[in-house]
Amino acid sequence: MLSSRHSLAQRILYSRRLRPPNPKTHLPAPLLFIQISQLHLVSKSPPRPELPYLFFPASRFQPASVPTQHQSRQPRYITTSRKERFKTEAKLTLWYILIGNSFVALGMLLIYLIHMEATERTYPTPTEWTFRSRNIYRTAHKLEDPEAWTVLDWPKIGNHYCVVLSRLEDPTLDGKGLPIAPDEDRAYVVGIDALGFSKKGLDISSMSEEWRRGYHIALMKAARASEHLEDMVRDRTRRKTFSREQMIGPSNPRPKPVPMGAASAPLEENCDPVSQPPQVFYMKALTTTGFTSGQRLDAALAYADWLDYKGLHETAEEMYDWGLDIAMGALPIGANNIVDMQTGLINSNATYVSNNVLRATAALAVHHARTDNVSAALPIMLSILRARKQLSLPPVTDPDASAQEPSIMGTIISTVRSTLISPPYPPPPPTGDEVPIRTQKAICEEAALMSHIGEILFASSNADATPSLKPTKPKSASQNQQSGLSWTRDAVDIAETTLSTMSPDDLEGRQTCTECLEVSMDNWSKMVRRILKEQQQQIAETKEDRVGGVRGWFWGGESIQEVERDEGRWERELQLVGERMVGVERVLERERNARRRKGWDNVFGFGG
């Protein structure tokens, strides 16, 4: 009975089909020591070691059909510890960004302050001016530097100086105590209608010397800028500056085309002058009460030079006479018969010849030379040269009485102090009413005067030459050419010798000698080349006339040989000038480098 039941159960078991196990009911149980428990998610240190290589992802054994309640819990990626770490890292990032930006801002501020200090040392401003006036003044000076800019923006330069003048004359800003000019006597700054300056001279006697000197410099700079802006207009609708020749209107029927890529030409009804005429600034400087005689003379000579440039020679001569009156009016009582006011000659027996008198007479002589009045220019220059050579020499200083050289520590302290502390405003220059001393700078000015005399003599030889249709005798260089060349050679020798013995600290004197040497050397080279060219042309023309049958009735063959010998002489001198030019260029380059280094030393406080 039992055996039959057992055999029946075996038959039923063997007769059933074999099937794979049901995943719904038979799931592999993961290992307990690799599971992430709730305690693990909260605690900072895991209680048991984690072995990731023994963990099998649940998705590998759990198909999508498995209910959610039977799936294993997914691990949390943003845990409490990670949140704290993210917060800490975000705080540190913000802190580093804040610190970095602070250092960048402080660095930019430091660079700006260093730039302002360097500009202040290069272009000093009166300390009593407001910060904005000083900043505009320095910016205008920087824009006017030809070494820093290839093309100067004269509209911006002139506008800056006019703004400075407006602020200086404003009683609420920098002109405390000055009277307010009426509206009809005021000139307004283009683009800034709220600011304006007086067209007439003011009484600035109550202001300090530094204020008056800075005001005079700004006034003369504005006048110089207006000379460049005389032929320019501003389109008020677009606020752009154009040349007057490009303006479209009845006064300019044939306007010039604007450059390619520039704005279109303006209409005349929309245009205004960019600046006031130069005579407004010059006459204002001449009529202002409070300027020294030297400052007024600067304005008179600059105005006369501009009138000469415009071709108004008669008006310019009147202005030169006005400048001579200014120089003579500042002489002390009893100094009479210094200058002949009719001819401009300095009396040979004059005992009190001031620097202003020398400047005024020299400018008058240059004016006569420009107008081809050589007979009036040469005597004035010779009288100036005689007066300069009669000046007294500077007193001889005892080398033992000079101060001892400072120690190394003293030099370091002085350098640090001059670097950290801004230098004071430069002391006032001489008024020009004093009798000058024959210093090395004065000797260089004598050399420059000799160069002018040589140039006038050389140029006058061409005026004396009269053309003729008849064949003339070939001749060598004229007497005036020889004299002019001799004066120029002497000027080169004096300037070069003086420059080699001048003190390196005398920057103004070395600048004067450098300019004189450069101009005189250039004149010497041009003179020799011109004489050589004339000699070659004369020889060629003479040979052509002889070949053509024209006989030399008034000269023989030895005359041509003489001119040919002179030609060889001028060729040798031209070669000598070329060799001398190489040495002079080396000296000039050394002076430029020294001046540039001295400028940087003054900027950083190493100039003493």
Side-chain angles (χ1 to χ4, degrees):
M1 184 77 180
L2 292 175
S3 61
S4 61
R5 290 181 180 178
H6 182 70
S7 60
L8 179 61
Q10 287 182 350
R11 286 196 301 271
I12 294 173
L13 179 62
Y14 293 150
S15 63
R16 293 180 62 181
R17 182 181 298 178
L18 297 175
R19 291 181 297 175
N22 191 358
K24 295 181 180 181
T25 57
H26 301 281
L27 294 177
L31 302 177
L32 295 178
F33 67 92
I34 64 172
Q35 297 301 310
I36 301 176
S37 62
Q38 296 293 329
L39 180 62
H40 184 202
L41 295 177
V42 176
S43 63
K44 294 184 178 180
S45 58
R48 304 181 65 182
E50 295 181 0
L51 303 177
Y53 59 89
L54 296 178
F55 175 73
F56 299 97
S59 59
R60 181 176 176 183
F61 303 100
Q62 298 176 358
S65 58
V66 179
T68 306
Q69 60 272 17
H70 297 288
Q71 294 182 1
S72 301
R73 186 180 298 274
Q74 295 293 330
R76 293 174 57 188
Y77 292 102
I78 303 179
T79 61
T80 304
S81 60
R82 289 180 180 177
K83 283 183 180 180
E84 295 296 331
R85 189 180 67 183
F86 290 160
K87 290 181 181 180
T88 305
E89 290 180 355
K91 292 179 181 179
L92 289 177
T93 303
L94 294 176
W95 175 254
Y96 291 148
I97 291 175
L98 180 61
I99 293 297
N101 290 338
S102 301
F103 276 108
V104 171
L106 291 176
M108 294 177 65
L109 180 61
L110 181 63
I111 292 174
Y112 175 75
L113 293 178
I114 292 176
H115 173 73
M116 295 290 291
E117 181 66 22
T119 310
E120 173 65 26
R121 292 172 184 262
T122 306
Y123 311 109
T125 55
T127 55
E128 55 186 310
W129 289 5
T130 58
F131 174 78
R132 181 167 176 78
S133 298
R134 299 175 68 179
N135 192 22
I136 297 173
Y137 180 85
R138 289 190 296 257
T139 304
H141 269 286
K142 189 66 176 177
L143 292 173
E144 202 177 359
D145 187 5
E147 297 183 358
W149 307 93
T150 306
V151 179
L152 300 182
D153 191 354
W154 286 110
K156 184 180 292 186
I157 294 171
N159 189 72
H160 277 55
Y161 282 121
C162 289
V163 171
V164 172
L165 292 177
S166 302
R167 294 180 63 86
L168 293 180
E169 295 181 6
D170 192 346
T172 61
L173 296 176
D174 297 300
K176 296 180 180 179
L178 294 180
I180 301 177
D183 293 339
E184 59 271 12
D185 294 338
R186 298 183 67 84
Y188 291 94
V189 183
V190 177
I192 308 177
D193 297 334
L195 296 177
F197 57 91
S198 175
K199 295 181 181 180
K200 297 181 180 181
L202 304 176
D203 187 1
I204 59 174
S205 303
S206 60
M207 311 304 289
S208 65
E209 191 278 332
E210 294 182 2
W211 191 98
R212 286 184 275 119
R213 200 188 336 159
Y215 179 74
H216 178 265
I217 294 175
L219 191 58
M220 296 299 294
K221 292 287 187 179
R224 183 171 181 267
S226 66
E227 294 180 3
H228 294 80
L229 301 175
E230 186 184 16
D231 296 330
M232 301 187 72
V233 294
R234 184 191 299 270
D235 189 352
R236 75 175 74 93
T237 60
R238 295 178 291 175
R239 294 185 178 182
K240 293 184 178 295
T241 306
F242 298 89
S243 174
R244 191 179 297 273
E245 298 176 347
Q246 299 173 349
M247 181 179 61
I248 301 175
S251 62
N252 189 28
R254 302 183 63 182
K256 289 186 176 180
V258 296
M260 182 178 297
S264 58
L267 300 178
E268 185 173 359
E269 57 269 17
N270 298 332
C271 293
D272 295 324
V274 176
S275 176
Q276 294 292 326
Q279 58 264 24
V280 172
F281 299 98
Y282 287 129
M283 293 304 299
K284 180 177 180 179
L286 287 170
T287 57
T288 295
T289 304
F291 287 152
T292 63
S293 57
Q295 292 172 340
R296 295 175 60 215
L297 181 61
D298 290 339
L301 297 184
Y303 187 23
D305 183 72
W306 179 75
L307 292 173
D308 263 337
Y309 171 75
K310 300 297 292 184
L312 305 174
H313 301 298
E314 295 182 0
T315 310
E317 187 169 353
E318 294 177 358
M319 188 56 58
Y320 283 117
D321 293 338
W322 191 358
L324 188 57
D325 291 338
I326 293 174
M328 294 293 296
L331 295 178
I333 300 176
N336 300 322
N337 300 326
I338 303 297
V339 179
D340 186 354
M341 302 302 294
Q342 298 295 329
T343 60
L345 296 176
I346 299 177
N347 191 354
S348 58
N349 298 324
T351 58
Y352 198 97
V353 183
S354 65
N355 192 27
N356 288 340
V357 171
L358 295 175
R359 290 174 54 203
T361 52
L364 181 61
V366 172
H367 162 73
H368 287 312
R370 287 176 178 174
T371 56
D372 297 333
N373 191 2
V374 180
S375 60
L378 276 178
I380 297 177
M381 287 193 173
L382 291 175
S383 66
I384 297 172
L385 184 60
R386 181 182 60 242
R388 282 190 171 277
K389 289 185 177 296
Q390 293 176 354
L391 296 176
S392 59
L393 297 175
V396 179
T397 58
D398 188 5
D400 297 335
S402 60
Q404 297 181 355
E405 295 184 359
S407 61
I408 298 178
M409 183 58 64
T411 304
I412 294 175
I413 294 175
S414 176
T415 302
V416 173
R417 182 183 302 160
S418 59
T419 303
L420 298 179
I421 302 176
S422 299
Y425 196 66
T431 60
D433 300 330
E434 309 86 2
V435 178
I437 301 177
R438 196 165 183 261
T439 58
Q440 289 184 319
K441 178 187 175 183
I443 295 175
C444 286
E445 292 175 351
E446 294 176 9
L449 187 60
M450 294 172 63
S451 179
H452 286 308
I453 294 174
E455 188 176 356
I456 293 174
L457 286 173
F458 190 89
S460 64
S461 62
N462 297 326
D464 297 340
T466 55
S468 177
L469 298 178
K470 296 182 180 180
T472 58
K473 177 180 178 179
K475 55 183 179 180
S476 58
S478 65
Q479 186 66 27
N480 288 344
Q481 286 181 335
Q482 295 278 5
S483 300
L485 195 58
S486 177
W487 281 90
T488 306
R489 289 197 203 99
D490 294 342
V492 171
D493 294 337
I494 293 174
E496 190 172 9
T497 304
T498 308
L499 183 61
S500 61
T501 59
M502 187 174 291
S503 172
D505 297 332
D506 190 0
L507 298 180
E508 189 176 356
R510 297 188 74 87
Q511 177 69 17
T512 303
C513 276
T514 301
E515 294 176 356
C516 174
L517 179 60
E518 186 176 7
V519 173
S520 302
M521 198 68 206
D522 185 60
N523 288 346
W524 187 10
S525 175
K526 291 180 179 179
M527 290 177 183
V528 175
R529 292 178 185 276
R530 185 164 184 173
I531 293 176
L532 180 60
K533 184 178 179 180
E534 291 178 356
Q535 296 291 319
Q536 294 174 349
Q537 289 179 353
Q538 289 180 1
I539 293 176
E541 291 175 359
T542 303
K543 290 181 178 180
E544 290 179 358
D545 293 341
R546 292 194 174 226
V547 171
V550 179
R551 298 297 179 182
W553 298 328
F554 304 102
W555 67 86
E558 62 276 2
S559 299
I560 298 180
Q561 295 178 359
E562 181 181 354
V563 177
E564 288 179 349
R565 286 195 300 270
D566 289 342
E567 180 187 2
R569 170 199 168 188
W570 297 118
E571 288 179 350
R572 290 190 298 272
E573 182 161 355
L574 183 60
Q575 183 179 1
L576 176 63
V577 170
E579 296 174 357
R580 190 81 173 268
M581 184 72 76
V582 174
V584 170
E585 286 292 338
R586 191 180 301 113
V587 172
L588 296 178
E589 185 64 25
R590 186 166 60 249
E591 288 297 320
R592 296 189 194 98
N593 295 335
R595 197 180 311 116
R596 193 178 297 112
R597 289 194 302 270
K598 191 69 176 179
W600 281 110
D601 290 345
N602 291 335
V603 166
F604 291 105
F606 303 119

